[in-house]
Amino acid sequence: MSRRIQALVALYFEGIPFSNQTMAAQQEIEAAMQREFAQLEPALGEDAAFERLVGQYPRLADMARAAGYSPEQADLWRREGPVADLRQVKKQLARQRRRIYGVALLGALSAVQLLWLGYNLWEASGYALFNALYLALLAGLGGLLLRRFVREERAGRDQLYDIQSFSYIRQMHDRYKKRLLNSALFSAWTLSLFTLSALGFWRYGPAKQLAEALFSNVILVEIPIFICAKNWLCFRLTGSRSGWPWRERTQKHLTGMVLLALGYWLASCLPFCLGGRADAFFFPASMVAAGLAGLYNLTLRRRITEQNIVFNKRRGGLIAAGVVLVSGYSFLQRDTWYTQPYINSVPVVEHRSHDIQYDDRTGVYTITADTEDFKILHLTDIHLGGSLFSYRKDLKALKAVYAEIAYTQPDLVIVTGDLCFPMGVMSFSLNNFAPINQFAALMRNTGVPWAFTYGNHDTESIASLSQSDLNEAFKALSFKTSANLLYPYVQPPVTGRNNQLIELRNADGSLNAALFLIDSNAYTGEGLNAYDYIHDDQVEWYADQVRRLNQEAGRSVPSLVFFHIPLQQYREAYRLYEAGDPSVVYFFGENNENMIDKVCCSDYPSKLFDVIKELGSTKAVFCGHDHYNNMSLEYQGVRLTYGMSIDYLAMPGIEEDLDQRGGELITLYPEGRFDIRQIPLESIAPEKKSPFSHRARRRI
């Protein structure tokens, strides 16, 4: 029956602007009518009692008198005055919310600054005065904002609202009530992380590390203070303007949620204080607390809310998109080792063993060979994805590498870049740690020494390991650990990630040849596919090393240079060759690249080629990068050779194309002579060519 009384009173108040005064009066009148109805019902029955009540109080003024109000007060409720519409209310609340955000932010910063001040006073640090002044500034600004907020919030209590604006305020109060309830548990979770971190350093580390840990994780204190302060002030702002619906019950629910948060905090942290493991209690306590909070939100919370669960499609879509992005990014960065069973099965390749020494001071590797020739297998663009989605293609690439090594039995393998492909596309992976470890493990099992230059894809900006991280990873895999990766622990102070010199010496210690591995860098950052180049300081380093070697040997020491991105001279030579210029000498191969440019080199010219001609030491250079190019031309006395690629992954349709895949066997002889021979994979490990391959489609 209470609903009929409630509807009757609401009908009498129809047309009266909403305010705190009228809402309080409506509640008191409703309570008075309920009491009188309860007295009439036993004698008259429900329907007759309700009719008697309606006849006895035909006007709002009569009902007001029954609740202790005078008729004049009832008339004042209908007074004409400024009534805020929905647009005005939204502007007022938006202005107040901005102040609330400022107060909450300054409050969080002040709390942390107070911790800093206490720490500085305890340490008798000279920063104490600065922190005190900064704290005073933050507190002063926060106080000014809070004062303006309180002044306007009090003025808003007497504001009159139309039905639309009042409904909006009630809706906003409902929303902030739910946020405030949930923020208590979220704050307890972040504070538990902070507490466990502090307790861990307190138990296991020195006091200095404890202080550093506390202030490095201080955001776990700032976030809950900001969220709780913001939600509490917004809850009070909207509640004071909407009559505090279910006020007493809401206070009980808030108390219960705070007790749950406190219990969770104790359950997750106290056992660690008593000698237990942090992870043994934190995660179970988190699951239990989250489960209880979820059950509460679905059941008990509806007693104090008008709309307990509201699904906002836009917010739900944004949250779902955020979850997908975060989980997807985490998934793409995972280390995966699906090719490891094959790698573990790879046997040692029969090859000649040479003495290898490393100079810790200069970062130079020296290979001493007692054979008349020295064989180098040049591979490029392996492009390992390192994910479940790229597993099949990764396996093909590793098998192709092994087939080339097993067939040529080289003394050294040099890879000119792009060992991995952490781009997210094609491979569904951003991980560049697992692929380089997989390749290193394969090479370690073959027993053949190897070296490499970086490619533009090895350290993409979105990859899991940065340039410095990957450098450290390669050092951990290098010669002192693996005995076959010739990666320098010390590198010259020039541009690039790996510029190194490998000296080849005869059995008597005399210099036979020099191998320069130079980083062609990745991107200039000036646009999409804006490739970098070999910089001037790298060229100067190369020239200094050539002069040093020539001076030591008393003659011009022959050398080879390896890098990833082709020099501009590759493009010049190819255009002249296509034009039939007899000054360009053709040896073998084809240039079939057509995805971006025929020759994808940097727009910036490098001085390397001119210095190579000037010094006369280097007779051949080798690169990769352009997967369908494998032509070898001699231009101005220098042999320019593209490596056959291994790639099965990075370019659309390349898995089905076979003619471009393989390597080059470089054989060095005494007195600077060398021979370069292509080793197409198809000639040593034939694959079945699909009639729908990229190359076949072009012919069709």
Side-chain angles (χ1 to χ4, degrees), residues 483-526:
N484 77 327
L485 171 55
L486 310 187
Y487 188 80
Y489 298 90
V490 177
Q491 297 178 12
V494 296
T495 304
R497 300 155 289 179
N498 177 25
N499 300 281
Q500 71 172 118
L501 165 64
I502 299 175
E503 298 179 359
L504 300 181
R505 294 184 177 270
N506 302 313
D508 60 0
S510 61
L511 275 168
N512 181 13
L515 307 177
F516 287 94
L517 284 71
I518 302 179
D519 186 12
S520 55
N521 303 296
Y523 307 100
T524 62
E526 298 174 355

Side-chain angles (χ1 to χ4, degrees), residues 276-401:
R277 284 172 45 203
D279 58 346
F281 303 96
F282 175 73
F283 293 106
S286 299
M287 296 298 294
V288 171
L292 290 175
L295 183 63
Y296 164 77
N297 287 342
L298 293 173
T299 55
L300 296 178
R301 195 178 68 178
R302 68 182 61 176
R303 297 180 181 179
I304 58 169
T305 57
E306 297 183 12
Q307 289 183 298
N308 186 39
I309 303 295
V310 179
F311 180 73
N312 186 305
K313 293 182 179 180
R314 179 180 298 177
R315 184 180 297 113
L318 290 174
I319 293 174
V323 170
V324 169
L325 287 174
V326 171
S327 59
Y329 183 73
S330 300
F331 176 80
L332 292 178
Q333 287 201 320
R334 290 191 313 163
D335 288 336
T336 53
W337 303 88
Y338 301 107
T339 58
Q340 200 61 39
Y342 167 72
I343 294 171
N344 293 340
S345 69
V346 168
V348 173
V349 173
E350 183 179 349
H351 63 284
R352 298 176 297 190
S353 180
H354 304 291
D355 179 66
I356 302 176
Q357 298 294 326
Y358 174 71
D359 190 327
D360 284 303
R361 183 179 56 84
T362 63
V364 173
Y365 283 94
T366 300
I367 303 176
T368 303
D370 56 2
T371 55
E372 291 189 1
D373 61 354
F374 188 87
K375 297 189 296 183
I376 301 172
L377 176 62
H378 173 222
L379 301 174
T380 191
D381 295 275
I382 313 298
H383 283 287
L384 298 176
S387 71
L388 175 62
F389 298 95
S390 65
Y391 160 72
R392 182 176 55 82
K393 297 179 180 179
D394 290 349
L395 194 59
K396 283 187 173 183
L398 292 173
K399 288 182 177 180
V401 168

Side-chain angles (χ1 to χ4, degrees), residues 593-610:
E593 185 71 35
N594 58 13
M595 189 170 186
I596 300 177
D597 293 312
K598 182 64 71 172
V599 174
C600 296
C601 57
S602 175
D603 292 334
Y604 290 89
S606 174
K607 295 179 180 179
L608 180 62
F609 189 80
D610 292 333

Side-chain angles (χ1 to χ4, degrees), residues 432-433 436-437 454 458-459 463-476 487:
N432 55 348
F433 180 70
I436 65 117
N437 275 274
Y454 282 99
D458 290 315
T459 53
S464 59
L465 293 188
S466 64
Q467 293 183 8
S468 59
D469 293 335
L470 199 60
N471 178 52
E472 294 302 318
F474 273 120
K475 285 181 180 179
Y487 188 80

Side-chain angles (χ1 to χ4, degrees), residues 382 384 398 401 415 419 435-443 450:
I382 313 298
L384 298 176
L398 292 173
V401 168
V415 182
L419 276 172
I436 65 117
N437 275 274
Q438 291 165 1
F439 190 82
L442 175 80
M443 294 303 300
W450 68 289

Side-chain angles (χ1 to χ4, degrees), residues 585-589 630-634 639-642 676:
V585 181
Y586 170 83
F587 286 90
F588 55 71
N630 52 63
M631 187 175 285
S632 182
L633 302 173
E634 184 178 294
R639 184 88 170 262
L640 307 176
T641 301
Y642 267 114
I676 306 172

